[in-house]
Amino acid sequence: MASARPGTLALALASLLGAGADWLATHTADSASADKLQGQLRERFGKKIDGIHTSSVRSFYWAEKAIREEQEVRTLLDSEVPFLELRRLVESVHPYELPMIVSAAHGGPLIAKRESLEKYLMGAVDVNETTAEEAEMIAKELVQIRYVACSHVEKLEDKEDTHRVTVKTTAGSRTHIVREFGGLDFEWTPLQGNRPFLQWVEAAAVPSSAEL
């Protein structure tokens, strides 16, 4: 039987915050696009970029009244550069018309059961003893019932049969996730990001009345 625990992605981000570093996460369609973006960041900020990490993810998101599914590359970077400056550069050169450019809002990660006033949230959970197909079913269902605007699945290379599910949603929808998917012990992080993406999250993560 599959088991779940808080995503180490969220824990790693908490570590970055504790160290005083700023970080940014975004997605592109492929490795070539990710490499180009990384080159532009290093050209602009040089050694202020402390580290860049990429991983392949299967993404699910709500668009045009249906679920869309794509293979993407996530880029996660930490740096000495304030998020606002990073966001402005990435937004100006990103190949997507509506990119996701996010970081942690002030206050760091949240415990899943703690009441939160933060409006936009990222949840991450590592699901053990499961296949990619099973993890993707969970991610897809969360989008299908509109509890999240988007979800992403990645295989953890250093852990056998473990997949990470990451979601973007709102504080209001998180309540439904905790209630209906309590077996998934998400680690929650409040988000800041580019305004068009956050507005899209708010519009997409709206559970239907049948699910409430």
Side-chain angles (χ1 to χ4, degrees):
M1 179 180 294
S3 59
R5 59 187 179 81
T8 53
L9 171 63
L11 299 178
L13 297 181
S15 176
L16 289 177
L17 288 168
D22 218 339
W23 61 269
L24 176 147
T26 191
H27 288 183
T28 51
D30 50 41
S31 296
S33 298
D35 290 344
K36 183 177 180 180
L37 181 60
Q38 292 171 32
Q40 291 166 315
L41 284 162
R42 290 196 182 279
E43 180 180 355
R44 171 65 178 82
F45 297 114
K47 294 182 179 180
K48 290 183 179 180
I49 302 296
D50 296 326
I52 298 179
H53 317 277
T54 60
S55 56
S56 177
V57 299
R58 192 69 179 172
S59 296
F60 304 86
Y61 60 95
W62 188 260
E64 299 177 354
K65 300 182 180 181
I67 295 178
R68 307 298 179 185
E69 180 178 346
E70 294 180 353
Q71 196 69 28
E72 293 186 300
V73 173
R74 185 186 66 229
T75 296
L76 174 65
L77 66 91
D78 58 279
S79 76
E80 301 172 18
V81 183
F83 173 70
L84 180 60
E85 292 184 43
L86 293 172
R87 192 204 75 201
R88 284 174 174 168
L89 175 62
V90 173
E91 204 166 13
S92 70
V93 300
H94 203 288
Y96 284 1
E97 182 177 349
L98 177 58
M100 177 201 80
I101 308 168
V102 297
S103 184
H106 300 296
L110 300 173
I111 298 173
K113 295 183 180 179
R114 185 185 302 167
E115 290 296 328
S116 171
L117 298 178
E118 284 81 0
K119 192 170 186 179
Y120 306 103
L121 299 169
M122 177 182 75
V125 62
D126 292 348
V127 187
N128 303 318
E129 301 175 17
T130 189
T131 65
E133 291 75 15
E134 290 169 335
E136 288 172 7
M137 285 178 61
I138 295 171
K140 188 173 183 178
E141 182 180 2
L142 286 166
V143 175
Q144 177 72 55
I145 60 180
R146 307 285 298 279
Y147 282 5
V148 305
C150 56
S151 59
H152 318 282
V153 176
E154 64 179 299
K155 172 72 172 67
L156 300 187
E157 298 300 333
D158 58 339
K159 296 175 183 176
E160 187 175 358
D161 298 327
T162 299
H163 294 79
R164 177 171 298 145
V165 177
T166 306
V167 302
K168 310 297 188 307
T169 190
T170 64
S173 291
R174 180 184 70 126
T175 302
H176 304 303
I177 297 171
V178 172
R179 183 188 67 211
E180 302 295 337
F181 293 83
L184 297 175
D185 190 13
F186 281 98
E187 182 83 14
W188 296 99
T189 301
L191 290 180
Q192 60 178 319
N194 53 316
R195 175 53 52 184
F197 175 75
L198 296 180
Q199 289 175 332
W200 172 77
V201 168
E202 188 170 6
V206 180
S208 66
S209 58
E211 300 295 339
L212 300 179

